[in-house]
């Protein structure tokens, strides 16, 4: 157990792998039938909390392997303002579709009303409704930013920058063309077609944060700010397909 606790590769990649494996449960269990119970109609309402708890548990288990520094006023504010810009650019194409009907899926100009995490399926039970939304925001603003930044910028970027050695030997945020490009492409591949352009742009923005601040923590903050604002946008507009 102690050996695994200090295993750098497992620490950076493990939480993400568990998260993605559990994500497949949604597709396996989900059945589009309004006569079925909620846990079959909307399995994301129990799978997502399970993902969140398990992935955060693994992050806590491996916490000593991570270095989020430097976290200064400057690096934090860089993460915050880039996170705000990232959110604006991410939702802009869909907002153009929503307001003006501009349609182009590859550019993200398409409706996000469905499919997605739609909490209205639980409106008949106020407790379950708000508990589901709360856990969705914890997943969105805590679990996802940490585990994605660990694997994309913390591991993959550095691994591709030093194929002949240990990725932990590469300082965080060190420029390497293959490392930067690979992390952006991997981040993009994990999303749906309407998000592809947004992923590329956001990958460039968060790579800028990594290069400028040399701080994994700043990248996590950037990601968390974007996701928090995205969650607020989704709740306001009912564009459930964004999450």
């Amino acid at each position: 157990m102690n050996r695994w606790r200090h295993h750098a590769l497992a620490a950076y990649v493990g939480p993400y792998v568990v998260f993605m494996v559990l994500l497949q449960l949604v597709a396996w269990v989900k059945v589009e039938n309004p006569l079925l119970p909620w846990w079959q109609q909307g399995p994301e309402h129990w799978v997502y909390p399970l993902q969140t708890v398990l992935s955060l548990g693994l992050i806590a288990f491996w916490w000593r392997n991570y270095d989020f520094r430097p976290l200064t006023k400057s690096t934090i504010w860089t993460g915050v303002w880039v996170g705000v810009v990232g959110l604006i650019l991410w939702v802009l194409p869909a907002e153009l579709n929503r307001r003006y009907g501009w349609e182009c899926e590859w550019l993200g100009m398409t409706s996000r009303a469905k499919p997605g995490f739609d909490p209205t399926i639980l409106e008949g039970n106020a407790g379950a409704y708000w508990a589901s939304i709360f856990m969705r925001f914890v997943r969105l603003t805590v679990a996802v930013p940490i585990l994605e930044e660990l694997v994309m910028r913390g591991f993959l970027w550095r691994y591709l920058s030093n194929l002949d050695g240990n990725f932990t030997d590469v300082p965080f945020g060190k420029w390497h063309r293959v490392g930067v490009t690979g992390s952006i492409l991997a981040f993009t591949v994990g999303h749906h077609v309407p998000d592809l352009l947004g992923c590329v742009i956001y990958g460039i923005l968060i790579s800028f944060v990594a290069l400028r601040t040399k701080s994994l923590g700043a990248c996590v903050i950037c990601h968390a700010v974007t996701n928090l604002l995205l969650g607020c946008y989704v709740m306001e507009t009912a564009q459930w397909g964004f999450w």
Side-chain angles (χ1 to χ4, degrees):
M1 181 66 72
N2 191 55
R3 179 171 66 88
W4 276 104
R5 186 181 288 272
H6 298 285
H7 196 291
L9 178 61
Y12 278 82
V13 178
Y16 183 82
V17 171
V18 170
F19 185 90
M20 295 304 291
V21 169
L22 287 173
L23 187 61
Q24 304 311 308
L25 282 176
V26 174
W28 294 339
V29 177
K30 192 177 185 70
V31 180
E32 298 287 351
N33 187 336
L35 300 179
L36 293 175
W38 69 268
W39 62 269
Q40 287 181 287
Q41 290 186 60
E44 57 271 19
H45 293 281
W46 61 269
V47 173
Y48 287 2
L50 178 63
Q51 278 182 309
T52 301
V53 171
L54 290 181
S55 61
L56 287 178
L58 290 174
I59 289 169
F61 176 76
W62 279 307
W63 189 257
R64 293 182 180 179
N65 293 274
Y66 312 135
D67 186 358
F68 295 96
R69 298 169 296 177
L71 275 176
T72 64
K73 183 182 293 186
S74 174
T75 60
I76 290 171
W77 276 111
T78 297
V80 170
W81 74 258
V82 174
V84 173
V85 172
L87 179 278
I88 294 171
L89 296 178
W90 190 282
V91 302
L92 180 59
E95 189 65 14
L96 291 174
N97 170 270
R98 192 169 75 91
R99 290 178 179 270
Y100 306 111
W102 297 1
E103 189 75 34
C104 182
E105 186 178 29
W106 285 97
L107 295 179
M109 291 187 288
T110 185
S111 174
R112 304 302 180 88
K114 59 181 182 178
F117 181 90
D118 183 356
T120 59
I121 193 175
L122 299 173
E123 282 186 330
N125 185 327
Y129 175 81
W130 288 112
S132 180
I133 291 175
F134 172 76
M135 288 303 298
R136 186 68 181 88
F137 270 86
V138 173
R139 179 183 186 267
L140 189 69
T141 62
V142 183
V144 169
I146 296 177
L147 65 89
E148 281 198 341
E149 292 313 309
L150 285 174
V151 75
M152 296 300 171
R153 257 62 61 177
F155 165 69
L156 186 60
W157 176 329
R158 294 195 287 169
Y159 172 76
L160 294 176
S161 302
N162 188 26
L163 293 175
D164 296 326
N166 195 323
F167 77 94
T168 57
D169 294 334
V170 180
F172 184 84
K174 180 180 179 180
W175 166 257
H176 189 278
R177 183 176 58 189
V178 176
V180 174
T181 303
S183 64
I184 293 173
L185 290 178
F187 177 70
T188 302
V189 167
H191 290 78
H192 300 298
V193 171
D195 290 324
L196 295 185
L197 178 61
C199 284
V200 172
I201 294 173
Y202 194 77
I204 293 171
L205 288 174
I206 207 162
S207 295
F208 163 79
V209 174
L211 290 165
R212 181 176 178 83
T213 67
K214 313 298 182 187
S215 170
L216 176 58
C219 292
V220 172
I221 289 171
C222 176
H223 206 142
V225 167
T226 299
N227 282 7
L228 173 62
L229 295 176
L230 178 63
C232 294
Y233 173 82
V234 169
M235 292 299 296
E236 177 66 25
T237 63
Q239 297 287 292
W240 310 118
F242 266 119
W243 66 357

